[in-house]
């Protein structure tokens, strides 16, 4: 890819250094290190979820001083600053929660989706069948389509076919249980 470099260093921008955000970070690290165990993840935390200028500043530092070529932004509105930094640096980012691919086309390669609508539909369907387990938590992953990647026209345009094929292959292996995701 044009803006990629040979360094095995990628970035992570979190809103706050709290367990839920660190779960995203852990999954990102596991995935990267599954592909290449030598990959190093540089992490920065904004301190809140609203300070987009600080998100941009921290991301620019990773791009410009730490030779990162892609950053996963898990920082809510503060992450928009990280997406801006990707464009300004001519590098890449991964969005979060909803499809942010159109925010900085060609720089935001994909987004990790929380498919909240699927979880609501699932709960209503279970309720209608009399099978909703009240008072219990349920984790929905790739298998249940609770999470996924934004695979739209921008993803298809800017992510090389070989990488898209590898992502599809890995998703099948996660769903089948061939690849085990570490849960903390």
């Amino acid at each position: 890819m044009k803006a990629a470099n040979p360094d095995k260093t990628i970035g992570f921008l979190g809103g706050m250094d709290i367990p839920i955000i660190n779960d995203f970070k852990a999954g990102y690290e596991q995935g990267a290190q599954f592909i290449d165990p030598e990959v190093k993840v540089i992490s920065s935390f904004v301190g809140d979820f609203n300070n987009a200028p600080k998100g941009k500043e921290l991301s620019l530092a990773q791009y410009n001083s730490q030779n990162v070529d892609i950053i996963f932004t898990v920082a809510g509105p503060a992450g928009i600053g990280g997406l801006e930094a990707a464009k300004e640096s001519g590098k890449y980012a991964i969005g979060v929660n909803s499809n942010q691919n159109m925010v900085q086309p060609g720089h935001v390669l994909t987004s990790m989706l929380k498919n909240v609508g699927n979880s609501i539909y699932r709960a209503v369907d279970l309720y209608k069948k009399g099978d909703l387990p009240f008072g219990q938590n349920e984790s929905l992953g790739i298998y249940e389509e609770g999470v996924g990647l934004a695979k739209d026209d921008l993803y298809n345009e800017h992510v090389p076919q070989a990488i898209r094929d590898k992502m599809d292959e890995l998703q099948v292996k996660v769903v089948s249980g061939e690849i085990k995701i570490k849960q903390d």
Side-chain angles (χ1 to χ4, degrees):
M1 296 182 66
K2 186 172 122 180
N5 65 52
D7 289 6
K8 296 179 180 187
T9 305
I10 59 177
F12 178 85
L13 177 69
M16 296 179 72
D17 189 359
I18 58 176
I20 189 74
I21 301 304
N22 283 305
D23 288 346
F24 283 89
K25 180 178 170 256
Y28 181 57
E29 288 173 334
Q30 283 180 48
Q33 291 170 349
F34 180 85
I35 297 297
D36 186 337
E38 295 180 15
V39 170
K40 178 180 176 189
V41 178
I42 303 292
S43 298
S44 301
F45 294 91
V46 176
D48 64 51
F49 293 98
N50 295 308
N51 192 338
K54 186 170 180 184
K56 182 176 180 179
E57 174 188 336
L58 292 169
S59 297
L60 285 170
Q62 286 190 28
Y63 289 129
N64 297 329
S65 302
Q66 297 173 297
N67 218 23
V68 164
D69 54 17
I70 189 165
I71 296 175
F72 181 27
T73 62
V74 185
I80 298 300
L83 305 182
E84 290 174 6
K87 181 179 180 184
E88 188 174 305
S89 298
K91 304 291 175 95
Y92 302 115
I94 300 167
V96 74
N97 296 336
S98 62
N99 187 346
Q100 297 178 323
N101 298 1
M102 75 296 295
V103 175
Q104 298 295 343
H107 298 282
V108 180
L109 299 179
T110 191
S111 299
M112 195 268 2
L113 303 176
K114 285 188 204 170
N115 296 323
V116 176
N118 291 353
S119 65
I120 293 169
Y121 178 83
R122 179 181 170 90
V124 170
D125 188 52
L126 287 171
Y127 177 78
K128 287 172 48 180
K129 293 176 182 174
D131 295 331
L132 184 64
F134 287 97
Q136 297 177 22
N137 290 329
E138 183 178 39
S139 293
L140 304 180
I142 294 172
Y143 177 78
E144 299 88 2
E145 298 181 357
V147 295
L149 285 181
K151 296 178 180 179
D152 59 8
D153 290 341
L154 291 168
Y155 173 79
N156 293 330
E157 179 181 346
H158 297 288
V159 177
Q161 184 66 49
I163 293 174
R164 295 192 323 257
D165 290 346
K166 186 67 172 179
M167 295 303 297
D168 290 343
E169 173 191 330
L170 294 172
Q171 181 172 330
V172 168
K173 289 180 178 182
V174 168
V175 169
S176 74
E178 185 177 338
I179 294 176
K180 303 287 185 202
I181 306 298
K182 296 177 193 168
Q183 304 276 332
D184 291 336

